[in-house]
Amino acid sequence: MPELVFFSGTMDCGKSTLALQIEHNRSARGLVGMIFTRNDRAGEGKLSSRLGLVTDAVEVAEDQDLYAYLVDHLSSGRRADYVIADEAQFLAPGQIDQLARVVDDLGIDVFAFGITTDFRSKLFPGSQRLVELADRIEVLQVEALCWCGARATHNARTIGGEMVVEGAQVVVGDVNQSAGEVGYEVLCRRHHRRRMTAASARAAALSPDVLPVSPA
């Protein structure tokens, strides 16, 4: 039976790499896929991995009907044996409903990839709808690590290495951004709660001892 599968994880855990691997494996067996994406780090209409792999994709517009797009595609005599939706957290809840309809009414597997929560540890609307509708949810097993070595479970937004907790939910950036730019860092829950990034941890380690010291 066709399925709507949600592959979730933090940033830097290999979601896009897995999406590209699924595309490679299926296309190598003669299947034809439809790839949707939105706000990819490589630019419009691209599905890219931090390992340097990239392929063309359909850039999803904010009000685009994905079910209608697939119906038009198939009605014109073209194929779509499966659908990959990367950066699915940026899709609107209604678009997730449309992907579910692709599975149920067109009989096509849909593989959605995305992070679950934003930099404030709040659910993205698209990810929330995927959790509600998906036939199966797969948490990726390639664990991203916090700077402390613990498993990273939260995405932090940074500016100049300092964690910020205010601003628009969607601001495109990436890990390892230059100082002063909006970037992202994956943290364990403890250090996300303390707003302690790798940069601030180094600064704390280099700070002088300010505790009172009794004279010898």
Side-chain angles (χ1 to χ4, degrees):
M1 294 291 292
E3 290 184 305
L4 171 59
V5 185
F6 180 31
F7 295 90
S8 68
T10 62
M11 297 182 72
D12 214 18
C13 74
K15 296 181 299 302
S16 296
T17 301
L18 179 58
L20 287 162
Q21 185 68 55
I22 289 177
E23 161 65 14
H24 170 77
N25 290 350
R26 290 181 172 245
S27 62
R29 294 295 178 264
L31 299 176
V32 178
M34 173 68 67
I35 303 176
F36 293 119
T37 191
R38 187 169 185 190
N39 297 333
D40 188 273
R41 69 183 70 84
E44 185 172 330
K46 298 293 181 183
L47 165 56
S48 68
S49 162
R50 291 189 181 86
L51 298 183
L53 305 173
V54 63
T55 191
D56 292 331
V58 176
E59 184 75 16
V60 178
E62 185 174 351
D63 57 351
Q64 185 171 358
D65 187 323
L66 302 184
Y67 178 80
Y69 187 93
L70 262 297
V71 169
D72 289 345
H73 179 84
L74 296 170
S75 298
S76 67
R78 292 173 288 179
R79 288 174 58 187
D81 300 310
Y82 59 94
V83 172
I84 291 173
D86 197 34
E87 306 292 356
Q89 72 273 7
F90 296 141
L91 299 181
Q95 291 172 322
I96 303 301
D97 284 85
Q98 293 158 13
L99 291 177
R101 189 180 177 193
V102 167
V103 175
D104 296 339
D105 293 359
L106 302 182
I108 297 174
D109 282 314
V110 174
F111 306 104
F113 299 80
I115 59 179
T116 308
T117 57
D118 64 16
F119 69 105
R120 300 163 299 186
S121 70
K122 302 295 185 182
L123 284 168
F124 281 99
S127 298
Q128 178 178 337
R129 194 61 179 144
L130 276 165
V131 170
E132 293 165 348
L133 291 182
D135 297 295
R136 184 158 48 95
I137 300 172
E138 300 283 350
V139 178
L140 296 194
Q141 297 303 308
V142 179
E143 294 182 350
L145 299 179
C146 178
W147 60 265
C148 69
R151 177 172 175 260
T153 55
H154 289 63
N155 305 293
R157 180 180 295 171
T158 62
I159 297 179
E162 296 295 324
M163 180 173 162
V164 295
V165 293
E166 296 181 353
Q169 185 175 52
V170 179
V171 176
V172 178
D174 202 358
V175 295
N176 302 320
Q177 295 291 84
S178 302
E181 294 183 347
V182 174
Y184 290 89
E185 182 176 343
V186 289
L187 301 172
C188 64
R189 184 181 65 238
R190 179 164 64 108
H191 288 125
H192 190 276
R193 289 179 58 246
R194 295 179 179 179
R195 304 184 188 180
M196 186 173 286
T197 64
S200 60
R202 283 194 295 270
L206 294 173
S207 296
D209 188 352
V210 296
L211 294 177
V213 177
S214 299

